[in-house]
Amino acid sequence: MSSTNKWMVGFRFHSEVRGFVEHFYLVDGTAGSAGAHRAAAQMAGPASKRAGRREVQRVQIQRVVTDLLGNVGLSAPVPGVGAMPAANSVTSPIEVAR
């Protein structure tokens, strides 16, 4: 399997109106998961504020991979990145990425 510099980053938010909502971002051109996390957090920040989604419950990062036949899929989640903030904390995606 060959891999690319594309990542899928998912943020699970708690919304006062809709309960839990997950946003997924496709990030291209970053060398590692930390860079992908920061880039996705920058994209998620304004959207989450407008929608009233402030508290990040979970972060999941996976590499987009292409096998020798050209099939595209996702790797297993990057270990140690699924940081969950402390209970009752209000955390934006940007704060979680730091």
Side-chain angles (χ1 to χ4, degrees), residues 1 5 7 9 11 18 28-29 41 57 59 63 65 74 86 95:
M1 226 186 258
N5 287 334
W7 302 83
V9 181
F11 294 105
R18 296 185 177 214
D28 190 11
Q57 298 291 315
V59 178
R63 183 184 287 273
V65 294
L74 295 172
E95 291 169 343

Side-chain angles (χ1 to χ4, degrees), residues 1-53:
M1 226 186 258
S2 66
S3 57
T4 64
N5 287 334
K6 292 183 182 178
W7 302 83
M8 190 283 301
V9 181
F11 294 105
R12 184 177 195 181
F13 296 96
H14 181 263
S15 171
E16 294 175 3
V17 177
R18 296 185 177 214
F20 292 104
V21 179
E22 294 205 41
H23 288 218
F24 296 91
Y25 298 89
L26 183 62
V27 179
D28 190 11
T30 61
S33 62
H37 191 181
R38 283 189 298 274
Q42 291 294 325
M43 290 185 269
S48 67
K49 287 179 186 174
R50 281 193 306 272
R53 298 177 192 109

Side-chain angles (χ1 to χ4, degrees), residues 50-70:
R50 281 193 306 272
R53 298 177 192 109
R54 301 177 314 186
E55 187 177 333
V56 176
Q57 298 291 315
R58 181 184 63 165
V59 178
Q60 181 174 316
I61 301 176
Q62 295 172 275
R63 183 184 287 273
V64 177
V65 294
T66 306
D67 67 14
L68 296 174
L69 298 176

